[in-house]
Amino acid sequence: MDSTVAEAPPRRPVPLVTVLGVVLLLFAIGMGAWVVWQLSAGGRAPAAFRERSAVPQCASITVPQGGPASSALQDCLLGAAAQREGAEVLVTSLTTEGDPIKTYYRVVPGGEVEIFTDATADSFGSGKWSHDWCPDVAALESGKGCRPA
């Protein structure tokens, strides 16, 4: 019997290019999953928001932290064209922590106001969408007569 043991060939190190390729592939897969997750996060908006009818858009408004909505909101929603054709304005306000809350105010022909609030970026709030109706623009300030959709 031969008592010699065959030596295994020496192990070659894995090329750096292969390691980087695997890392980049895993990164790409992770980023793809993140993009899909982000896109589906937009899908969390209620169907009523995603499928709302198009109306003329007013310029977006950003409200300073703790500040009141500007008169531009009422100007948009009370204009004669808004009463005939409808109008929508996006108002972005910041929470105490600086998280954005996006509220879409929509006046529909006839004067009723539809309100969609996107609080999904609010780290310390509900993190949800809400959908409300008010009988008219005047009810926005008082809240009287407004109801959940």
Side-chain angles (χ1 to χ4, degrees), residues 6-148:
E7 278 188 38
R11 292 185 64 148
R12 293 186 357 206
V14 176
L16 182 60
V17 172
T18 304
V19 171
L20 288 176
V22 169
V23 168
L24 286 174
L25 177 64
L26 291 174
F27 177 76
I29 291 170
M31 287 304 295
W34 181 81
V35 167
V36 168
W37 180 76
Q38 286 295 318
L39 291 174
S40 67
R44 283 190 238 150
F49 179 79
R50 293 189 317 267
E51 299 165 3
R52 70 194 188 283
S53 61
V55 294
Q57 301 288 307
C58 297
S60 296
I61 301 168
T62 300
V63 178
Q65 194 172 35
S70 70
S71 61
L73 173 63
Q74 286 196 357
D75 292 346
C76 169
L77 300 180
L78 288 173
Q83 297 303 307
R84 283 190 317 274
E85 304 168 28
E88 179 174 297
V89 62
L90 166 60
V91 177
T92 302
S93 56
L94 300 176
T95 65
T96 303
E97 298 80 23
D99 296 333
I101 304 291
K102 295 183 178 193
T103 304
Y104 300 81
Y105 294 93
R106 296 171 46 85
V107 65
V108 296
E112 198 169 20
V113 180
E114 185 175 29
I115 306 160
F116 291 98
T117 302
D118 176 4
T120 57
D122 186 0
S123 303
F124 297 95
S126 71
K128 298 180 180 179
W129 280 80
S130 64
H131 182 194
D132 299 288
W133 283 95
C134 291
D136 53 36
V137 175
L140 287 175
E141 288 186 28
S142 68
K144 293 182 179 177
C146 296
R147 66 192 188 289

Side-chain angles (χ1 to χ4, degrees), residues 1-6:
M1 271 196 156
D2 191 354
S3 63
T4 60
V5 177

